[in-house]
């Protein structure tokens, strides 16, 4: 027959993670000594400015939520109510800052976008597809620039010693719409006379936006066709492009 004999140590040993990410949590515990009252605290914690100690349903366990970066000390003061012996235990926890990535979450295909971190620190960047396939890596740089030639979903992450991994940046690359086949309308015009131009074989799912040089658009510049007048200044021209909005405007 074997029985466990709990020994109340004068200097106990706290178990738990030595590193926590700012904004995260860590669980810490002492041995399960019966009839032992434990008081947990963060040394130097005034009004929870360093962190918060959250009690659990087990008196020998707590959850620590840090509110600062750097090193904090978790202290447990305990007393066995039956034997009237106790002690104290301390545990140093390093709180690392997360790398927060800033930059657009939606970009157009074939556009270059710049991403950075909140501390402008030189970090190691990794860009993957949403399935985890590596696309591009960049080492020891404060900024990340990439030209997204393919539409789809991407994940950008950053790493650096002394920092914990922050939230990954999910980037949606929106495919550019199909270029309009052409413009129907007269290529020979008189000044200050109205003319109508239209898109050849328009796509019913597309949004067409018109622009004019040395002329005026009469009414809306959005649609499959447009009414215009030309001033007579040279050179007169008209162009149309197709656009999508999901959630940024991308055009052909």
């Amino acid at each position: 027959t074997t029985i466990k004999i709990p020994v109340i140590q004068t200097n106990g040993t706290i178990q738990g993670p030595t590193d926590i990410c700012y904004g995260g949590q860590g669980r810490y515990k002492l041995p399960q000594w019966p009839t032992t009252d434990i008081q947990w605290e963060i040394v130097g914690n005034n009004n929870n400015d360093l962190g918060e100690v959250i009690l659990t349903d087990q008196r020998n366990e707590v959850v620590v939520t840090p509110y600062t970066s750097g090193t904090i000390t978790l202290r447990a003061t305990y007393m066995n109510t039956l034997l009237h012996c106790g002690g104290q235990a301390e545990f140093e926890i390093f709180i690392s800052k997360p790398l927060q990535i800033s930059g657009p979450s939606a970009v157009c295909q074939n556009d270059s976008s710049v991403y950075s971190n909140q501390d402008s620190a030189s970090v190691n960047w990794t860009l993957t597809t949403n399935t985890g396939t590596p696309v591009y890596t960049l080492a020891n740089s404060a900024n990340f620039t990439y030209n997204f030639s393919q539409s789809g979903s991407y994940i950008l992450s950053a790493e650096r010693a002394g920092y914990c991994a922050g939230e990954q940046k999910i980037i949606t690359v929106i495919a550019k719409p199909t270029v309009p086949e052409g413009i129907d309308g007269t290529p020979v015009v008189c000044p200050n006379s109205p003319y109508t131009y239209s898109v050849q074989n328009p796509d019913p799912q597309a949004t067409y936006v018109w622009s004019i040089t040395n002329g005026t658009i009469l009414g809306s510049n959005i649609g499959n066709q447009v009414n215009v007048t030309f001033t007579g200044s040279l050179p007169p021209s008209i162009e149309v492009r197709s656009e999508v909005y999901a959630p940024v405007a991308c055009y052909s």
Side-chain angles (χ1 to χ4, degrees):
T1 301
T2 301
I3 62 172
K4 293 182 179 181
I5 303 176
V7 178
I8 312 299
Q9 299 171 317
T10 302
N11 296 309
T13 301
I14 299 175
Q15 296 180 336
T18 57
D19 297 84
I20 307 178
C21 187
Y22 180 87
Q25 290 183 328
R27 183 178 292 268
Y28 298 88
K29 64 180 180 179
L30 280 170
Q32 288 183 319
W33 295 319
T35 67
T36 300
D37 180 56
I38 305 175
Q39 300 297 322
W40 297 87
E41 63 176 321
I42 297 174
V43 178
N45 194 27
N46 297 316
N47 298 319
N48 287 340
D49 58 339
L50 299 180
E52 183 179 3
V53 177
I54 303 173
L55 301 179
T56 68
D57 57 350
Q58 303 294 324
R59 70 174 68 189
N60 67 310
E61 291 186 358
V62 292
V63 173
V64 174
T65 302
Y67 296 147
T68 185
S69 59
T71 301
I72 62 174
T73 301
L74 177 64
R75 176 183 293 166
T77 304
Y78 48 90
M79 176 63 66
N80 186 276
T81 58
L82 178 64
L83 302 176
H84 301 290
C85 64
Q88 194 175 83
E90 291 187 352
F91 191 86
E92 287 193 347
I93 308 169
F94 179 74
I95 313 301
S96 53
K97 295 179 65 175
L99 282 169
Q100 297 177 349
I101 301 174
S102 59
S105 298
V107 298
C108 296
Q109 183 182 2
N110 297 325
D111 283 357
S112 294
S113 297
V114 179
Y115 298 86
S116 59
N117 62 85
Q118 80 279 11
D119 288 344
S120 298
S122 295
V123 300
N124 297 324
W125 301 90
T126 302
L127 180 69
T128 66
T129 64
N130 61 343
T131 59
T133 303
V135 175
Y136 183 71
T137 58
L138 178 64
N140 198 32
S141 176
N143 297 320
F144 178 88
T145 304
Y146 186 76
N147 184 287
F148 294 92
S149 60
Q150 299 293 328
S151 60
S153 296
Y154 296 83
I155 298 174
L156 180 63
S157 58
E159 293 182 351
R160 176 184 167 90
Y163 287 79
C164 57
E167 290 188 5
Q168 296 175 322
K169 188 77 172 181
I170 300 176
I171 305 169
T172 301
V173 179
I174 303 167
K176 287 193 174 182
T178 304
V179 177
E181 291 186 17
I183 298 175
D184 286 329
T186 178
V188 180
V189 298
C190 295
N192 303 315
S193 297
Y195 295 92
T196 298
Y197 294 88
S198 59
V199 178
Q200 293 178 359
N201 299 319
D203 182 353
Q205 304 299 321
T207 299
Y208 294 101
V209 181
W210 299 81
S211 60
I212 192 170
T213 302
N214 293 322
T216 302
I217 294 178
L218 306 175
S220 175
N221 69 328
I222 299 175
N224 295 346
Q225 67 179 27
V226 67
N227 298 317
V228 302
T229 61
F230 293 96
T231 62
S233 300
L234 299 177
S237 66
I238 187 170
E239 70 174 35
V240 64
R241 67 187 187 187
S242 55
E243 293 190 357
V244 293
Y245 302 90
V248 295
C250 299
Y251 55 88
S252 63

